[in-house]
Amino acid sequence: MVSRWWKQYNLLPWPDSFGMLVTGLYNTGSGVRGRMMKRNIIRYVNLSYCIALRTVSFRLKKRFPTIEHLVDAGIMEQNELEEFRKLDETISANKWFLPLVWVAKMIGKGVEEGH
């Protein structure tokens, strides 16, 4: 059981190293749109971490007792919570991966646009 959890934990990208990769390797362009893309990418990585670690960290669970507390803290937006809830009908497991799917889509769209 610990081995399975540890493998999942190691799949999560570290927010700081991921941030450096995004800054160094992905050209989001200059201006407000580029800055917002980088900001949202890092926010999604942090959101993924929070969702995953809420299940094992007492301190994080105390800080964010429900997923709605992530919205209140500004880590997740209301429309993202609604999309997250849609998965409740089909997936009962921890959905920490969903924000990383959003990151992949965002980067894919940016690459298509030539960034």
Side-chain angles (χ1 to χ4, degrees):
M1 178 133 175
V2 172
S3 155
R4 183 172 151 249
W5 176 85
W6 187 248
K7 286 178 186 175
Q8 288 184 349
Y9 176 78
N10 283 325
L11 288 174
L12 290 170
W14 286 93
D16 53 348
S17 59
F18 194 85
M20 286 188 285
L21 283 172
V22 166
T23 301
L25 298 177
Y26 182 63
N27 178 15
T28 56
S30 60
V32 174
R33 185 170 184 271
R35 191 177 77 241
M36 292 305 291
M37 281 182 71
K38 285 181 186 177
R39 181 179 147 200
N40 280 329
I41 288 170
I42 299 305
R43 184 173 59 82
Y44 286 154
V45 171
N46 285 328
L47 175 60
S48 180
Y49 246 71
C50 286
I51 293 168
L53 295 182
R54 275 182 69 243
T55 60
V56 294
S57 169
F58 175 74
R59 284 187 174 182
L60 209 57
K61 185 70 171 179
K62 188 175 177 181
R63 171 68 176 93
F64 304 112
T66 66
I67 203 81
E68 288 82 7
H69 285 86
L70 293 169
V71 174
D72 295 340
I75 299 172
M76 179 185 263
E77 294 180 0
Q78 187 63 40
N79 63 322
E80 296 162 351
L81 175 63
E82 292 166 8
E83 184 147 342
F84 196 82
R85 294 249 185 248
K86 287 179 189 175
L87 277 183
D88 286 340
E89 300 168 6
T90 56
I91 298 173
S92 61
N94 191 350
K95 293 172 278 303
W96 59 267
F97 60 88
L98 186 57
L100 298 179
V101 171
W102 297 337
V103 167
K105 286 181 180 179
M106 188 181 299
I107 291 174
K109 184 177 178 184
V111 169
E112 285 178 0
E113 293 173 357
H115 293 291

